[in-house]
Amino acid sequence: GENVEQHPSTLSVQEGDSAVIKCTYSDSASNYFPWYKQELGKGPQLIIDIRSNVGEKKDQRIAVTLNKTAKHFSLHITETQPEDSAVYFCAAWDSSGSARQLTFGSGTQLTVLP
Amino acid sequence: GAGVSQSPRYKVAKRGQDVALRCDPISGHVSLFWYQQALGQGPEFLTYFQNEAQLDKSGLPSDRFFAERPEGSVSTLKIQRTQQEDSAVYLCASSSPGTSYSNQPQHFGDGTRLSIL
């Protein structure tokens, strides 16, 4: 089955700096890669996603890049703000077979210091 | 409501009791997923429904776990004879069906925090 590894597990940045979180996946058939933000006591909230036919996607201060050859994808947050502080999860989805499930990374606790 | 609704938000049970967790998906979403999230970890897949059909239950950890969605809308996750290792947050997500090649985003509820004493 799919295995997703995420690094780093914790990340502290100064307000206004950029933050980068990296993930690798094992199943070359995976073709959809969402990123979720989870605040304390809340469910994961989708912030951006990318499909395997695209190399990069941006949405305001957030961008995601995908390297299918290397099987890794990254989340980039620019001009970080204190409200960006949360746990971020990457995930991978393989819909080529009968599987219908997302496999999540272990999460990155991002702290933005004011 | 506009989002996925889960109830109760918190559930405390004694070891050996049965519990039932409810999920109301986003209106019109035919796909529904259950995940288990241990403290400090990412969500782990339990089971998947398309309408009322349970198409994948490969993530259910034991036969004490049972899920149903009899009318293709509300779903219930039931855990029988609970054990301490069942303590976790149980998340429900729903999505539009999409095609086999193109996936639709999964939208999560805020979960039920289950504590087994």
Side-chain angles (χ1 to χ4, degrees), chain A residues 94-108:
Chain A
D94 171 15
S95 65
S96 62
S98 61
R100 291 292 184 269
Q101 54 182 274
L102 280 173
T103 301
F104 284 81
S106 55
T108 296

Side-chain angles (χ1 to χ4, degrees), chain A residues 58-72:
Chain A
K58 289 183 180 180
D59 183 3
Q60 300 182 336
R61 296 185 297 109
I62 295 174
V64 57
T65 59
L66 172 65
N67 183 326
K68 288 190 296 181
T69 302
K71 289 190 282 188
H72 68 70

Side-chain angles (χ1 to χ4, degrees), chain A residues 36 38 41 43 51 93 95, chain B residues 9 33 37 100 103 106 110:
Chain A
Y36 287 86
Q38 187 173 29
R51 302 183 190 282
W93 169 284
S95 65
Chain B
R9 287 297 318 278
F33 306 81
Q37 186 174 26
S100 62
N103 296 289
Q106 292 186 25
D110 287 336

Side-chain angles (χ1 to χ4, degrees), chain B residues 69-80:
Chain B
R69 193 186 185 197
E71 297 180 357
S73 178
V74 171
S75 177
T76 303
L77 177 66
K78 298 179 179 179
I79 308 174
Q80 298 175 326

Side-chain angles (χ1 to χ4, degrees), chain B residues 7-117:
Chain B
S7 60
R9 287 297 318 278
Y10 304 92
K11 177 69 179 178
V12 179
K14 293 182 179 178
R15 185 168 56 91
Q17 290 183 330
D18 298 348
V19 298
L21 313 179
R22 175 187 170 104
C23 173
D24 279 276
I26 293 171
S27 179
H29 280 190
V30 302
S31 299
L32 185 145
F33 306 81
W34 283 98
Y35 292 83
Q36 181 188 61
Q37 186 174 26
L39 190 63
Q41 299 295 317
E44 292 193 357
F45 171 82
L46 294 177
T47 188
Y48 159 67
F49 290 85
Q50 186 154 319
N51 295 305
E52 69 279 3
Q54 188 175 21
L55 300 185
D56 186 349
K57 55 181 180 179
S58 62
L60 295 176
S62 77
D63 58 7
R64 296 186 295 103
F65 287 70
F66 172 76
E68 59 182 7
R69 193 186 185 197
E71 297 180 357
S73 178
V74 171
S75 177
T76 303
L77 177 66
K78 298 179 179 179
I79 308 174
Q80 298 175 326
R81 305 181 302 282
T82 52
Q83 300 178 5
Q84 283 192 323
E85 59 262 33
D86 300 335
S87 295
V89 174
Y90 290 85
L91 295 165
C92 177
S94 70
S95 71
S96 300
T99 66
S100 62
Y101 185 80
S102 175
N103 296 289
Q104 297 299 312
Q106 292 186 25
H107 300 275
F108 284 80
D110 287 336
T112 294
R113 181 175 297 276
L114 176 64
S115 298
I116 306 300
L117 305 179

Side-chain angles (χ1 to χ4, degrees), chain A residues 83-94:
Chain A
E83 51 265 39
D84 294 330
S85 296
V87 179
Y88 290 81
F89 292 99
C90 61
W93 169 284
D94 171 15

Side-chain angles (χ1 to χ4, degrees), chain A:
Chain A
E2 175 67 277
N3 181 50
V4 177
E5 296 197 356
Q6 183 171 348
H7 302 279
S9 57
T10 61
L11 178 61
S12 292
V13 299
Q14 289 294 135
E15 182 177 358
D17 287 350
S18 295
V20 180
I21 302 171
K22 299 182 179 182
C23 290
T24 60
Y25 61 98
S26 61
D27 189 348
S28 56
S30 289
N31 56 11
Y32 173 65
F33 307 91
W35 285 87
Y36 287 86
K37 175 184 180 182
Q38 187 173 29
E39 297 175 327
L40 198 61
K42 299 288 189 181
Q45 177 188 8
L46 180 71
I47 56 172
I48 196 167
D49 57 10
I50 190 168
R51 302 183 190 282
S52 58
N53 58 346
V54 175
E56 183 176 5
K57 183 177 179 181
K58 289 183 180 180
D59 183 3
Q60 300 182 336
R61 296 185 297 109
I62 295 174
V64 57
T65 59
L66 172 65
N67 183 326
K68 288 190 296 181
T69 302
K71 289 190 282 188
H72 68 70
F73 55 115
S74 300
L75 177 72
H76 304 252
I77 306 174
T78 59
E79 301 172 21
T80 53
Q81 302 168 3
E83 51 265 39
D84 294 330
S85 296
V87 179
Y88 290 81
F89 292 99
C90 61
W93 169 284
D94 171 15
S95 65
S96 62
S98 61
R100 291 292 184 269
Q101 54 182 274
L102 280 173
T103 301
F104 284 81
S106 55
T108 296
Q109 173 70 62
L110 174 64
T111 302
V112 180
L113 304 170

